[in-house]
Amino acid sequence: MATNEIGLAQKKSADQFVLQGKILNQEEGLVYLSYINKDGERVRDSVALKDGVFEFKGSIKEPTIASFSGNIVSRSMDDPNYTTIFLEPSAMKMTAKAGQFKKASIAGSKTNSEYQILQMQLLKIEERWQVVMDTLHAANKRSNFEYQELKHWVLRPYFAEVREVCLNFFDKYPSSYATAYRLRFMLSGLTTDSIKMFYARFPEKLKQSEYGKMFPAEIEKRKLGAVGNMAKNFTATDIDDSKLSLADFKGKYVLLDFWASWCLPCRKLNPHLKELYAKYKDKGFEVIGVSDDDRNPGAWKKAVAEDALPWKHVLRGFKMVNDKRDLSNDISAGFNISSLPTHVLIDPNGKIIGRYGGEDGEDHTSLDKKLESVFK
């Protein structure tokens, strides 16, 4: 729905937003807005520009992140005509320049004003690192392993800078929806205590929001696979097409090795893991590899053969059903695995006695000392 001039609506319902705007240096074409509405449904709307002017209307129950784009298929932050903005149930005015959507200005959304402060800081970091990023993308096209090797050390200062900027923003705007939204993408790198601290700062309204509700859910989820808890049993088909159940290994120390064929740090750990297996297998030690290769079982089987891994192997059981994750048989979900490699050590009674790598886990080198202590 296009309009010739921008004038904010005088009457609207409590959950309605009106986003009116103008694209400078572009008079015709389409612009696209994607967001979650008040009923929890994904809305993908589009309007035609008329003399560069546009208007979107919709209903949302709280400040909500949205993607604004000049390209229907774009989801890339590298696209100059793509950006993310915060909608609010209010009347908003937007001005953007063609080819510079990330620098768009929006009036009428307090949350977006806060969000834009963070986005501009991150954009400056991205601009400084653009040459490095382009080089890494080129390396990734040649070899994903080469990309991972370079990324591990080349981007360390970049990630540290981004983290510092974000944490400073969270401290300055502890009650912002923008803080709750952005924190979601950093959860895997935060300890449970840190997550609890940030959540405690939220006002009650933010705690009850869709973004806020994710924090108690994350804290609860972390109990899965935590040291001191009983391991969740699972049954799967192994690499030899035989049934394998964790319960079958009761009476032994079992190490669950969460890895993938495409994970370079995982593959680099395999030789040492083979040494540990050879050292303790006759003393009641077993390893079960749980691979994140459900989309490419051929690569999984090839990696097991190439690395000559002598223990049992299963796929994690990841599935997508109707564009949604089906976690009913997902082993990784049952142990709250968010990064690879992660190792979970289980005692003969089925109790988790060690977790290495990932959130709230010890360094992988601590596994050696733990095995020495239980098999001394």
Side-chain angles (χ1 to χ4, degrees):
M1 61 190 97
T3 179
N4 288 318
E5 57 184 78
I6 299 175
L8 297 182
Q10 298 298 313
K11 293 182 180 180
K12 66 180 186 65
S13 62
D15 57 11
Q16 185 183 36
F17 74 82
V18 179
L19 177 64
Q20 297 178 326
K22 184 174 179 63
I23 306 299
L24 305 178
N25 299 338
Q26 182 179 344
E27 295 187 353
E28 299 179 343
L30 294 172
V31 286
Y32 302 86
L33 187 71
S34 177
Y35 61 95
I36 302 296
N37 69 12
K38 66 182 181 66
D39 298 317
E41 302 167 335
R42 169 64 63 181
V43 175
R44 293 181 174 87
D45 200 359
S46 64
V47 295
L49 297 174
K50 187 174 182 181
D51 298 326
V53 176
F54 65 87
E55 178 180 282
F56 286 100
K57 289 183 179 180
S59 295
I60 53 177
K61 62 182 180 180
E62 59 194 8
T64 302
I65 198 70
S67 63
F68 183 85
S69 175
N71 185 342
I72 189 171
V73 298
S74 179
R75 292 291 185 274
S76 172
M77 292 304 293
D78 295 330
D79 187 341
N81 285 326
Y82 174 89
T83 191
T84 53
I85 62 175
F86 257 97
L87 303 173
E88 292 203 27
S90 64
M92 295 164 284
K93 283 185 177 181
M94 178 177 183
T95 303
K97 187 175 182 179
Q100 296 184 22
F101 279 17
K102 292 176 180 59
K103 296 182 180 180
S105 63
I106 297 178
S109 171
K110 177 178 180 291
T111 303
N112 192 77
S113 296
E114 296 166 344
Y115 181 61
Q116 196 68 7
I117 292 171
L118 176 60
Q119 289 296 88
M120 288 299 99
Q121 291 177 301
L122 295 176
L123 184 59
K124 289 179 181 179
I125 297 174
E126 296 291 338
E127 289 173 346
R128 289 202 311 273
W129 282 81
Q130 191 59 54
V131 174
V132 176
M133 294 297 187
D134 290 343
T135 302
L136 286 173
H137 287 319
N140 193 26
K141 291 180 180 179
R142 293 193 302 270
S143 166
N144 182 254
F145 277 176
E146 179 184 351
Y147 168 72
Q148 290 183 64
E149 189 76 78
L150 289 170
K151 177 182 175 183
H152 178 69
W153 62 272
V154 172
L155 293 185
R156 187 171 296 174
Y158 163 78
F159 289 130
E161 191 173 358
V162 168
R163 182 182 176 88
E164 181 180 5
V165 164
C166 289
L167 291 177
N168 287 338
F169 178 84
F170 301 155
D171 284 336
K172 190 172 182 179
Y173 299 95
S175 61
S176 175
Y177 279 78
T179 289
Y181 169 75
R182 181 71 192 194
L183 259 171
R184 298 181 315 146
F185 301 104
M186 298 179 65
L187 290 179
S188 64
L190 295 174
T191 65
T192 301
D193 286 343
S194 294
I195 295 173
K196 289 179 179 178
M197 177 196 70
F198 284 119
Y199 180 71
R201 295 177 180 178
F202 292 168
E204 191 59 33
K205 186 176 182 179
L206 185 52
K207 287 181 178 179
Q208 297 303 318
S209 70
E210 291 302 311
Y211 301 135
K213 290 176 182 176
M214 294 180 180
F215 291 81
E218 173 68 18
I219 293 169
E220 187 65 24
K221 186 174 71 172
R222 290 196 175 192
K223 295 178 182 178
L224 297 171
V227 174
N229 291 345
M230 298 301 292
K232 183 178 179 180
N233 187 40
F234 60 83
T235 300
T237 301
D238 70 14
I239 200 167
D240 298 317
D241 292 325
S242 299
K243 287 294 181 182
L244 180 151
S245 177
L246 179 60
D248 296 337
F249 294 83
K250 191 172 183 179
K252 294 185 176 183
Y253 286 93
V254 178
L255 184 72
L256 299 182
D257 172 30
F258 292 92
W259 73 299
S261 66
W262 44 262
C263 170
L264 182 60
C266 304
R267 302 289 292 273
K268 282 191 168 186
L269 277 175
N270 279 339
H272 183 59
L273 194 56
K274 287 168 65 175
E275 292 175 357
L276 294 177
Y277 180 68
K279 185 177 182 179
Y280 298 115
K281 66 177 182 178
D282 294 332
K283 297 182 180 181
F285 178 59
E286 293 287 349
V287 177
I288 301 175
V290 183
S291 174
D292 197 353
D293 279 296
D294 295 78
R295 298 179 184 86
N296 192 353
W300 166 52
K301 293 179 179 180
K302 181 180 178 182
V304 170
E306 286 180 346
D307 293 1
L309 305 179
W311 46 80
K312 299 290 186 179
H313 294 276
V314 296
L315 291 170
R316 62 178 284 189
F318 176 87
K319 290 182 180 179
M320 292 292 291
V321 178
N322 297 325
D323 294 328
K324 293 183 178 180
R325 289 170 175 257
D326 178 4
L327 303 180
S328 57
N329 294 307
D330 191 325
I331 301 171
S332 293
F335 288 85
N336 187 37
I337 304 301
S338 62
S339 63
L340 303 176
T342 295
H343 292 115
V344 176
L345 183 61
I346 304 167
D347 77 3
N349 296 314
K351 184 178 180 179
I352 298 171
I353 59 172
R355 187 179 178 106
Y356 310 92
E359 67 293 323
D360 285 349
E362 297 182 70
D363 186 87
H364 287 283
T365 56
S366 300
L367 173 61
D368 294 44
K369 295 179 181 178
K370 185 66 174 181
L371 291 176
E372 286 178 6
S373 68
V374 299
F375 289 115
K376 61 182 179 181

